[in-house]
Amino acid sequence: MTASQRTLQEIQTTLAADDVLARAKHFFSNRPSLYSTFLDMEGPGYCTFRGQGGEEIVIGVAPAENGGTRVTGSSYLFDMQVSRFFTTFESDTIV
């Protein structure tokens, strides 16, 4: 996986955008202490989190062209946590 693929990740899900953002808030706020984050900002279609050293995670949602929701996650250092978050959509993923 290249650096750009690690820092910007995307998945499509059958879940509604509001459900995805609620899931993100729960997932990132309940990580073990080394990778814990807190909700920094939120608005229609996105939420951002701050973690250790001020590291930022951004989760954005938008309607997908083929139905469902496109979810985009971006982080420079917390790329593994974004990947783990995306695995929570495995049963709800649109291929």
Side-chain angles (χ1 to χ4, degrees), residues 53-72:
E55 174 61 17
E56 183 177 50
I57 298 171
V58 179
I59 301 295
V61 294
E65 291 179 14
N66 58 347
T69 302
R70 187 178 71 233
V71 184
T72 304

Side-chain angles (χ1 to χ4, degrees), residues 15-94:
L15 295 175
D18 289 342
D19 293 336
V20 171
L21 295 176
R23 190 181 280 195
K25 289 179 215 176
H26 180 266
F27 180 89
F28 290 108
S29 299
N30 291 302
R31 299 288 75 194
S33 61
L34 180 61
Y35 297 109
S36 64
T37 64
F38 63 90
L39 182 64
D40 186 33
M41 295 187 299
E42 65 181 314
Y46 77 96
C47 52
T48 66
F49 304 88
R50 291 283 171 187
Q52 183 179 12
E55 174 61 17
E56 183 177 50
I57 298 171
V58 179
I59 301 295
V61 294
E65 291 179 14
N66 58 347
T69 302
R70 187 178 71 233
V71 184
T72 304
S74 180
S75 180
Y76 183 67
L77 296 175
F78 282 29
D79 56 299
M80 185 170 50
Q81 287 68 35
V82 172
S83 292
R84 286 185 179 165
F85 173 61
F86 281 2
T87 65
T88 68
F89 297 104
E90 285 179 353
S91 63
D92 305 305
T93 301
I94 298 173

Side-chain angles (χ1 to χ4, degrees), residues 6-21:
R6 286 192 316 263
T7 59
L8 182 62
Q9 301 174 52
E10 189 171 277
I11 194 170
Q12 289 187 29
T13 179
T14 57
L15 295 175
D18 289 342
D19 293 336
V20 171
L21 295 176

